[in-house]
Amino acid sequence: MNYEQGLVPGGRGARETQPHNPSVTGWIAKVAEQADWVTSVCTGSFLLHAAGPAKGRRVATHWASEETLEAFGDVTVVRDARYVVDSNLVTAQGVSAGIDMALWLVGRIHGRDHARVVRRYIQYEPAPPYMADESG
């Protein structure tokens, strides 16, 4: 089975300039209508809100931008989840949360065993230094 997916990245442009660019938001809206899955990482959720797919939905965004996105209205920012699934919309808080989101999506589409193979292949074994090591 083939799936169409749109991934919207974050960054300064995603939260400051591009939400006001009708060429970008129009393209995102058009692609989102045709996609089986619409995803964003970090502040890409700002673009999804501006383009329409995130309006009225539950989303995640970078922790430093949660209040700003919520202030736009017509969106529920979930603060305690690395990624949020709302129907076919999946948004992640930041870069490493985006990896978690991507692995969840691989598991959803291709099965958990396949997602585990992908995780192993990319050597994604999260163990943050300074949080995992209490001695240093």
Side-chain angles (χ1 to χ4, degrees):
M1 176 177 275
N2 291 330
Y3 284 91
E4 296 291 327
Q5 179 188 355
L7 171 65
V8 179
R12 190 163 79 198
R15 67 182 178 272
E16 293 179 6
T17 59
Q18 297 310 308
H20 309 289
N21 182 337
S23 295
V24 171
T25 56
W27 181 83
I28 291 171
K30 181 180 175 184
V31 170
E33 287 177 5
Q34 302 166 11
D36 295 299
W37 294 99
V38 179
T39 64
S40 72
V41 174
C42 197
T43 56
S45 54
F46 280 61
L47 285 168
L48 289 176
H49 183 272
K55 289 188 177 175
R57 310 282 286 276
R58 297 170 60 248
V59 301
T61 194
H62 190 274
W63 64 267
S65 297
E66 291 171 341
E67 288 183 20
T68 303
L69 179 58
E70 198 165 57
F72 291 143
D74 200 20
V75 67
T76 301
V77 177
V78 179
R79 290 172 164 77
D80 59 352
R82 290 178 56 76
Y83 61 92
V84 174
V85 180
D86 187 332
S87 185
N88 73 328
L89 180 71
V90 190
T91 53
Q93 287 182 326
V95 176
S96 65
I99 297 170
D100 295 348
M101 174 190 72
L103 288 169
W104 176 87
L105 193 57
V106 168
R108 178 67 187 258
I109 295 170
H110 300 288
R112 286 183 176 190
D113 289 340
H114 187 76
R116 288 184 183 107
V117 169
V118 170
R119 182 182 55 83
R120 183 168 188 256
Y121 187 79
I122 66 172
Q123 294 185 298
Y124 183 59
E125 299 289 338
Y130 313 119
M131 291 182 79
D133 179 14
E134 293 185 37
S135 65

